[in-house]
Amino acid sequence: MEILNHDLQTYLEAHCDPEPEALKKINRETYLKQLKPNMLSGHYQGRLLSMLSKLVQPKLILEIGTFTGYATICLAEGLAEGGKVHTIEVNREQEETLKNNFELADVQDRIQLYIGDARDVLFGLSENIYDLAFIDADKKSNLAYFELIIDKIRPGGLIIIDNVLWKGKVYGDAKDNDTELFRKLNDTIAVSTQVEKLILPVRDGVLVIRKK
């Protein structure tokens, strides 16, 4: 879902850095082979994730929801020397695709892939402190994931949550359960004194959160 109209989206993509060749291929293959290819971050959002990562220069990144690894690779572009991405994907059928895509982008040594339920995996990573986190998994759990990881983020670190405008429904009259969950997420974080926050109208809405 794109919040921005097609002409503006096209203009923005034409005036940011080009999509790297490996990511172009992953983008194309995702749309050819995956059942829900619109889950992929895509060119413009990918450049945003890369830019944010490069500004933070993280040693350790946490990603919840890997899909085909497009966003993972974008985030890895900003890693500090010796840095790592810990990425969690619940769908075991994606494992081979992910390993191939990470090798295609030559980032396999910088990415640690975990297959399983995010809550279970996070329990095993409880000793880690992260510089940046990206939440893009099952939407009903976004607030739970935020609450699970906020204490794992260093002061000054970022949490990025995708799809927070939810097809534009959050600021409309929709009353369905998913929309209400996104409103609760956005409203809860809006009043949190632990963080600074800003929603960017990129694709389906990107919430950028800085821990104080």
Side-chain angles (χ1 to χ4, degrees):
M1 171 67 188
E2 304 282 356
I3 293 295
L4 306 178
N5 69 51
H6 175 74
D7 290 343
L8 177 54
Q9 187 66 41
T10 300
Y11 184 86
L12 293 173
E13 290 178 2
H15 290 81
C16 69
D17 285 329
E19 189 176 30
E21 287 302 317
L23 290 175
K24 278 185 183 178
K25 183 173 182 180
I26 292 167
N27 195 335
R28 183 169 59 252
E29 291 291 306
T30 297
Y31 272 84
L32 286 172
K33 297 178 180 179
Q34 298 291 325
L35 291 176
K36 295 181 178 180
N38 60 309
M39 290 168 56
L40 181 128
S41 292
H43 177 193
Y44 188 74
Q45 184 174 331
R47 292 306 87 204
L48 171 65
L49 294 174
S50 174
M51 177 76 76
L52 291 172
S53 183
K54 288 172 181 174
L55 289 170
V56 174
Q57 295 185 300
K59 288 285 289 184
L60 201 54
I61 296 173
L62 174 65
E63 180 184 43
I64 302 176
T66 321
F67 190 40
T68 57
Y70 189 102
T72 322
I73 294 164
C74 294
L75 291 166
E77 292 176 13
L79 283 169
E81 185 74 24
K84 279 269 189 181
V85 181
H86 291 172
T87 185
I88 306 169
E89 173 54 44
V90 71
N91 185 359
R92 187 168 295 280
E93 292 181 0
Q94 295 287 56
E95 187 171 6
E96 184 177 355
T97 295
L98 286 167
K99 289 180 177 178
N100 291 338
N101 287 346
F102 296 153
E103 289 179 7
L104 177 66
D106 196 26
V107 294
Q108 66 273 16
D109 294 336
R110 289 181 276 164
I111 296 173
Q112 177 65 56
L113 173 63
Y114 297 90
I115 301 293
D117 181 88
R119 292 172 180 82
D120 296 336
V121 175
L122 287 169
F123 182 77
L125 300 174
S126 59
E127 299 302 314
N128 293 323
I129 297 296
Y130 294 92
D131 304 294
L132 188 156
F134 181 46
I135 300 173
D136 189 18
D138 57 308
K139 307 310 175 186
K140 67 180 182 298
S141 300
N142 278 346
L143 183 56
Y145 291 143
F146 171 79
E147 292 171 343
L148 274 172
I149 70 172
I150 185 64
D151 291 335
K152 299 178 185 292
I153 304 296
R154 68 162 173 84
L158 296 184
I159 299 174
I160 305 165
I161 307 178
D162 200 13
N163 302 108
V164 297
L165 294 180
W166 197 233
K167 308 168 188 174
K169 291 182 178 181
V170 292
Y171 51 86
D173 299 324
K175 301 294 184 184
D176 61 277
N177 187 56
D178 287 344
T179 301
E180 293 294 354
L181 286 171
F182 272 101
R183 288 188 181 121
K184 182 179 180 182
L185 168 75
N186 294 338
D187 291 347
T188 299
I189 293 175
V191 298
S192 172
T193 58
Q194 284 184 284
V195 298
E196 300 170 74
K197 72 290 294 186
L198 185 70
I199 295 177
L200 302 177
V202 174
R203 289 192 78 239
D204 199 18
V206 175
L207 176 53
V208 180
I209 301 161
R210 179 182 179 273
K211 184 175 178 179
K212 294 181 180 178

